Amino acid sequence: MTEFGVYLANQLVAGVQVTIILFVGCAVVGNLLAIPIALARLSNRRWLRYPAVAFILAFRGTPLLVQLYLCYFGVGQILAGVPSIRYSPLWPILRGADFYAFFTLSLNTAAYCGEIWRGAIQAIPEGQREAGQSLGLSKTRIMISVLLPQAFRLALPAIGGQNILLLKGTALASTITVFELMGAANLVRAQTFRVYEPLFAAALGYFLLAALITVGFEFFERRLARRY
């Protein structure tokens, strides 16, 4: 392997590690937040429903790149001007681009997956809810034991697709100086003036990661189909 090949491989391996960590963290947090957001979206209480609707519209109606810029350059600048935050033990975390990429991608995923969960819950026949009520189950128990498990099966394919979009969205984190896969490719391109090799290698890396996620979700879907 040539000196350029070794350098490219080392940078891309480091970038892939950051991409995987960022993806897994955002996927876990975003998908966990999506459920309460969906429940708030379906709530009859206006003080729950309206903020959930506004949150979903805000993140689904604006580009992810704009959201990253607003969080990194906007919120970051505001926090830097607060002495109690700037001189707190949390400032080394809050001043880094990694935090804002994680924060933005997690909320973006929560908004999209929250709408997926909302549609899945509403797609369940009303008879399921009525059956739970006839057994004397509370509304909370019906939601946890009857509706959410069925909604999960309905939502799983769409959630898998959204998580692939999350993986591709991590590439935008390079625009706020996060050294992930795309950031590593851009660094190699800028330092060596060789364009095609690093970009093709980055594209191949994203393709392999997306294929792995697809296979994982398809395997999980088959297991659920056999179980139920």
Side-chain angles (χ1 to χ4, degrees):
M1 184 179 292
T2 63
E3 182 179 353
F4 170 76
V6 173
Y7 173 68
L8 176 61
N10 290 337
Q11 296 297 326
L12 291 181
V13 167
V16 166
Q17 293 174 354
V18 176
T19 295
I20 292 175
I21 293 173
L22 184 61
F23 167 76
V24 172
C26 294
V28 171
V29 174
N31 283 284
L32 288 178
L33 289 175
I35 298 176
I37 290 173
L39 296 180
R41 173 74 172 79
L42 294 171
S43 175
N44 293 325
R45 296 180 175 89
R46 294 181 179 181
W47 62 273
L48 284 176
R49 185 172 72 254
Y50 288 169
V53 171
F55 173 84
I56 291 173
L57 287 176
F59 278 92
R60 295 182 71 201
T62 56
L64 178 56
L65 183 60
V66 174
Q67 296 167 19
L68 283 168
Y69 279 6
L70 284 175
C71 284
Y72 181 60
F73 296 109
V75 177
Q77 186 176 7
I78 293 173
L79 295 181
V82 180
S84 59
I85 296 178
R86 185 178 180 86
Y87 299 105
S88 71
L90 295 176
W91 181 243
I93 298 175
L94 296 177
R95 71 180 180 183
D98 293 351
F99 168 78
Y100 295 100
F102 170 79
F103 179 78
T104 305
L105 290 169
S106 296
L107 293 184
N108 183 273
T109 301
Y112 277 93
C113 288
E115 194 67 2
I116 291 172
W117 273 100
R118 191 271 310 165
I121 293 173
Q122 289 186 321
I124 299 173
E126 187 63 25
Q128 298 290 324
R129 191 188 304 270
E130 294 172 354
Q133 293 173 346
S134 67
L135 294 174
L137 300 179
S138 64
K139 292 183 178 180
T140 302
R141 191 64 181 175
I142 291 173
M143 180 62 68
I144 294 175
S145 300
V146 179
L147 301 183
L148 286 182
Q150 296 182 68
F152 178 68
R153 292 182 59 196
L154 295 175
L156 188 59
I159 291 175
Q162 182 57 42
N163 279 273
I164 292 177
L165 292 178
L166 168 62
L167 172 68
K168 294 187 287 186
T170 59
L172 294 177
S174 63
T175 62
I176 58 171
T177 70
V178 175
F179 188 78
E180 42 72 66
L181 182 55
M182 190 63 193
N186 285 332
L187 177 64
V188 174
R189 183 170 56 87
Q191 291 184 341
T192 63
F193 300 102
R194 300 178 69 164
V195 177
Y196 299 106
E197 295 93 332
L199 292 180
F200 179 78
L204 180 61
Y206 285 114
F207 174 79
L208 293 175
L209 290 174
L212 183 62
I213 295 170
T214 301
V215 171
F217 271 92
E218 288 180 350
F219 173 78
F220 198 39
E221 288 176 32
R222 290 196 297 270
R223 289 292 299 271
L224 283 178
R226 286 200 298 267
R227 181 176 179 181
Y228 294 101

